[in-house]
Amino acid sequence: MDGKLYNLQEPAPTEFIPEHGTSAEKAYQTVKDETFPQTQPRLNLATFVTTYMDDYGTRLMNEAVGINYIDETEYPRVAVMCGRCINMVANMWNSPEQNEWKTGAVGIGSSEACMLGGVAAWIRWRERRKAAGKPYDKPNLIMSSAYQVVWEKFCQLWQIELRTVPVSRKHPTLDIETAIEMCDENTICIVPIEGVTWTGMNDDVEALNDALEQYNRITGYDIPIHVDAASGGFILPFLNPDKKWDFRLKWVLSISTSGHKYGLVYPGLGWVVWKDKQYLPKEMSFSVNYLGASITQVGLNFSRPAAQILAQYYNFIHLGMEGYREVHSESMAIAEYCHEKIGEMDCFMNYADKLDNPLFIWMMKPEYEKKAKWTLFDLQDKLMQSGWMVPAYTMPKDIEDMVVMRIVVRQGMSRDMADMLIGDIRNAVAELEKLEYPTASRIEVNDGKKHKGHVFTH
Ligand SMILES: *Cc1c(COP(=O)(O)O)cnc(C)c1O
């Protein structure tokens, strides 16, 4: 080692790759120390994404960390396992497809899966328009204003007009009547959400399907549904299997979900499934033939990690339907417990009466808000001091003056942790209530200025 080597007494390199390297230990320590003071994953109630897997699942992933999914010739069994996962996800959503390998794709998360579902809807619409000799330059997509940001990206990247149906206190989920009014011959699909990121609620896909059935019959259009079931796709089949939101409905032609949310796999993993092969445009699918099986490949990425796919398959065979049901019922019970306790506090009210998924939002009671010297942003900061990450944010446009706070309950959150959290919230509120002067964020909110809120939420 010479004096020019980066050592721990110097500022960490930020702009250029250092001329000389440093020891593995020092490099490791630097990286480790930089990331150490961040939120502890178990106390992070902001994220939907898996922060806990058991030892065997973790071991499988670590052992597969060097495997590239795309190298199918080298690792054909990974592709087969991916095909099995797609089959299981498709059947979990009541796919009617008769083919041995169901039509779907793996993604890095729901974002990639949503993009693929959206592109397929757009191409199908375009081909129909071309065949009818009609213009196909003004596609649009309809969903509630509580969409996840990936849909804005999708619409911008593919130049599709995003028509949003405002959510409001009157219509806390997708207002179906208004959604149908927004439809026209250029609508490529409507996207209801199961597990809305902003609220935790489910849009009513069955009612939407019925309304579309009538609308399509009258107009002669074929406007389909893509369900963004990033969270709900792995909750509904276990906790509410009789509810019709999936391929049992006529106009639902594709569904996407995040394997790394309630699929219980570490990031990044997503799935998209089509109702049948005919709904996946040929331009998007590449068929690979090996081991006597023809497996369809679709995706935006070429290389991608294989470990998540192995972990998803591991979860499926290890937990089974019963295991998933148990894990999610426990999360749901803890979420309902927190929901009840927060609803009992004088200063708060819940956004919804009942929970569709193991997450919920709440806000200040209007009469309390009028005299409060603090906001939920202050509560977020206070809870951070005890290690909790509980995000506060403002709702989408039309109800953007509404400040809410959200808890996402995931596998491993115990009743004891919930009690600690509720205790910390009560203590924090008691302290905030002693304030003599309004906080900076209270002044901001009262002045009608938009607080930027939590950045990772939507
Ligand atoms: C999380 C989420 C997404 C994006 O999913 P990633 O897996 O993070 O890419 C899309 N839509 C909804 C409704 C979500 O909750």
Side-chain angles (χ1 to χ4, degrees), residues 308-379:
Q308 284 77 357
I309 297 165
L310 307 192
Q312 183 76 81
Y313 188 66
Y314 164 79
N315 275 349
F316 285 160
I317 60 176
H318 165 55
L319 292 170
M321 292 295 288
E322 190 184 28
Y324 267 101
R325 221 174 278 132
E326 200 172 301
V327 168
H328 293 337
S329 308
E330 281 168 12
S331 297
M332 199 69 178
I334 296 293
E336 278 164 350
Y337 175 74
C338 295
H339 185 250
E340 186 191 318
K341 291 293 153 196
I342 283 168
E344 282 167 7
M345 292 180 66
D346 287 338
C347 46
F348 298 142
M349 59 188 279
N350 284 311
Y351 183 79
D353 299 333
K354 62 164 193 47
L355 270 59
D356 290 337
N357 294 287
L359 67 129
F360 65 94
I361 59 172
W362 74 91
M363 54 225 175
M364 277 185 183
K365 281 182 188 153
E367 59 277 19
Y368 185 90
E369 171 116 48
K370 278 194 202 106
K371 54 185 177 39
K373 299 201 171 58
W374 54 283
T375 66
L376 293 175
F377 299 114
D378 300 307
L379 180 57

Side-chain angles (χ1 to χ4, degrees), residues 404-416:
V404 299
M405 202 160 210
R406 186 184 70 194
I407 287 178
V408 178
V409 176
R410 302 185 308 281
Q411 178 180 24
M413 173 128 177
S414 62
R415 167 64 189 264
D416 185 45

